[in-house]
Amino acid sequence: MRPVRLLKTAAVVTSFAVAAAAFSGCGSWVNRIKYMFAPEPTLSENSDSLSKVPTGERAQAENAYCYQSLDSDELRELYLTIGEQLGKTYSEEFSVGNTTLSVFDEALLAYEMDHPEVFWLNLSSRYKYVDYGGSLDIELNFELEGDELNAAKETFNQKIEEAVAQAPSDATDYQMEIFVNNYIIDNCEYQSEASMRHNAYGALVNGAAVCDGYSKAFQILCGKLGIDCVGVNGLSPEFNQENDESADNGHMWNCVKIGGEWYHIDVTWNDGDAHIQRYLYFNLTTKEIQKNHLISPLYGENPDAELHNIFVPECSATEYNYLKRECVTLYDLDNDSELLAAFLQAVRNEEPYFDFLISDELDYNETTNAISDSYGYYWIDTVNSYNSGGLQISEDTRFYTYNTVNAVTFDLNYIY
């Protein structure tokens, strides 16, 4: 649960003088009263170098980053052989010469990470084998086979097409990424006991999955809509603790390429009740995601690790971080015209919420306490004053604090 605070605002519209008493000793009256005589503050617009692309013109993204990262012909040949076997209706035994289980495991992991649509591989026991000392006989374990598998594939592909059909008809990659994030959140529920929970079938068809199901579904839909996307294996003890799971359970999320730069996104962690929670982990840098995510090592770097990756891009860009891009940042409590402009715009658009960030230069707890004690009242009265002929914010408005990302959400209630 996130912290919730209640703003006990005075009766709005004509309550400026009454609310002012509550502001005694907090902030500058010069700064407060100037808005009574100044023009409305205006909000600067974000520039965007991305072009909109009609959905019908979006080509499937290749997303073969793990294959391209394999450093030998032997591994690439194994990768392709595994693909041929997983393309069959029934699992069959096949021989692999001059290799070891470690090499086979690396190739299999690379194929899995590049092909999240392969939902029929049994993830609890991926294969059976016989080791002849230099060669292997392998049989992959399928969850489904024959007619049952064909029917499941048809249902799965239909769900993917239904999702793609709901995408915006004309959008930038960033806007399309927002659609995919929200589509999965709206159509999937986190369930640790659901069948097929570890794959995209569970997320897209059954509407119930855990983190790897969310991640694989996100990767598939991004790829279908022409956006480069990869899965990332790791750990997240904090998330596991909140969901009563073992601290060493694996976690999975994604990296996505927007505007030529890579970003981390965790759709599972974005699946929350409040609006802003949908975007708390939307396009983060590597440094930001590592605050509460542990990225597993690349294959071969640490043989003792439980989980591995084949390809993980370095993410350092911030241009398309959702919160930084979409939310105004408060740098000074007494120089808040940009915040008031954004707040007023949210009210005029009849948004149910108003999100903003608090600058790293401010102490987050001190600032949110000041908002609760006085500034929140002042902002609401000021916005209502500017919008005196329109919608008014009621006195039972609450705000939520998200200190890990310096964010605040006003859950707006209106007087109709």
Side-chain angles (χ1 to χ4, degrees):
M1 295 294 291
R2 304 291 178 184
V4 181
R5 318 267 290 271
L6 179 63
L7 287 171
K8 301 182 182 67
T9 58
V12 291
V13 188
T14 59
S15 67
F16 196 82
V18 176
F23 303 147
S24 178
C26 294
S28 165
W29 263 104
V30 174
N31 283 329
R32 295 179 185 287
I33 204 167
K34 67 182 180 181
Y35 290 115
M36 295 178 65
F37 307 102
E40 288 184 6
T42 57
L43 188 63
S44 57
E45 293 185 6
N46 283 329
S47 60
D48 195 345
S49 59
L50 298 180
S51 299
K52 290 187 175 183
V53 180
T55 302
E57 297 178 12
R58 288 179 171 271
Q60 169 89 35
E62 290 296 329
N63 289 348
Y65 287 96
C66 290
Y67 175 78
Q68 295 164 3
S69 298
L70 296 174
D71 59 5
S72 72
D73 291 339
E74 177 188 7
L75 282 166
R76 294 190 190 95
E77 288 174 7
L78 273 174
Y79 176 107
L80 297 175
T81 299
I82 290 167
E84 291 173 1
Q85 295 299 320
L86 285 168
K88 296 179 178 180
T89 306
Y90 291 91
S91 62
E92 297 178 359
E93 186 176 287
F94 60 101
S95 296
V96 180
N98 300 317
T99 194
T100 64
L101 276 179
S102 177
V103 172
F104 181 80
D105 284 339
E106 183 175 359
L108 178 58
L109 175 61
Y111 191 87
E112 284 186 75
M113 298 297 281
D114 278 347
H115 296 275
E117 74 279 4
V118 179
F119 62 83
W120 53 93
L121 182 65
N122 187 320
L123 299 181
S124 62
S125 177
R126 288 169 167 80
Y127 61 86
K128 300 184 286 287
Y129 73 95
V130 178
D131 188 347
Y132 291 103
S135 66
L136 300 171
D137 278 358
I138 301 284
E139 184 178 350
L140 299 172
N141 290 329
F142 287 9
E143 288 272 9
L144 307 170
E145 290 188 320
D147 292 341
E148 189 178 11
L149 175 57
N150 285 332
K153 285 182 180 179
E154 184 176 346
T155 300
F156 183 67
N157 291 332
Q158 182 180 348
K159 281 293 184 181
I160 293 172
E161 293 308 314
E162 288 177 3
V164 170
Q166 295 181 42
S169 60
D170 192 34
T172 66
D173 285 352
Y174 169 72
Q175 292 168 336
M176 197 62 78
E177 182 193 6
I178 292 173
F179 161 76
V180 176
N181 178 76
N182 291 345
Y183 179 87
I184 294 171
I185 291 171
D186 290 337
N187 291 278
C188 184
E189 180 180 351
Y190 189 92
Q191 290 188 11
S192 58
E193 300 299 326
S195 62
M196 307 288 275
R197 59 188 176 276
H198 292 292
N199 58 52
Y201 190 97
L204 295 175
V205 178
N206 297 337
V210 292
C211 57
D212 40 359
Y214 277 73
S215 172
K216 292 170 184 177
F218 182 81
Q219 184 177 347
I220 289 170
L221 294 185
C222 280
K224 281 288 184 181
L225 292 165
I227 300 171
D228 284 2
C229 181
V230 297
V232 180
N233 283 320
L235 297 171
S236 183
E238 177 185 326
F239 179 81
N240 293 342
Q241 183 179 12
E242 290 179 358
N243 288 276
D244 297 322
E245 297 175 1
S246 172
D248 58 0
N249 278 2
H251 188 56
M252 190 174 191
W253 64 96
N254 298 93
C255 283
V256 63
K257 197 173 188 180
I258 303 293
E261 300 284 353
W262 286 100
Y263 299 85
H264 287 272
I265 177 170
D266 190 335
V267 184
T268 309
W269 278 37
N270 285 343
D271 191 357
D273 296 329
H275 165 264
I276 199 172
Q277 287 179 280
R278 291 176 174 243
Y279 309 106
L280 294 179
Y281 296 89
F282 193 106
N283 291 357
L284 306 186
T285 64
T286 298
K287 182 178 180 180
E288 289 168 336
I289 200 73
Q290 285 179 326
K291 290 179 180 179
N292 43 31
H293 290 58
L294 302 176
I295 301 172
S296 293
L298 296 178
Y299 203 94
E301 287 186 348
N302 181 1
D304 295 328
E306 290 291 327
L307 295 169
H308 298 88
N309 287 294
I310 301 296
F311 170 79
V312 181
E314 179 61 31
C315 304
S316 58
T318 59
E319 182 178 1
Y320 290 100
N321 172 286
Y322 182 94
L323 296 183
K324 293 182 177 70
R325 185 170 187 83
E326 304 296 335
C327 300
V328 66
T329 299
L330 177 68
Y331 294 96
D332 183 348
L333 280 164
D334 291 321
N335 186 15
D336 50 11
S337 60
E338 185 84 357
L339 181 141
L340 287 170
F343 202 164
L344 179 60
Q345 183 183 76
V347 172
R348 286 182 171 160
N349 291 339
E350 299 189 28
E351 301 285 1
Y353 47 76
F354 170 56
D355 306 323
F356 63 95
L357 302 180
I358 293 174
S359 169
D360 290 333
E361 299 170 6
L362 299 175
D363 182 279
Y364 185 85
N365 290 330
E366 288 181 4
T367 303
T368 53
N369 285 337
I371 292 170
S372 180
D373 292 340
S374 62
Y375 283 87
Y377 312 151
Y378 157 63
W379 292 338
I380 289 174
D381 277 346
T382 303
V383 168
N384 281 333
S385 178
Y386 280 134
N387 204 41
S388 59
L391 203 59
Q392 299 287 286
I393 310 169
S394 74
E395 62 183 28
D396 58 350
T397 286
R398 295 174 180 268
F399 77 97
Y400 296 76
T401 58
Y402 303 89
N403 58 4
T404 57
V405 290
N406 284 7
V408 174
T409 289
F410 276 65
D411 190 5
L412 300 176
N413 288 298
Y414 294 110
I415 300 171
Y416 289 95

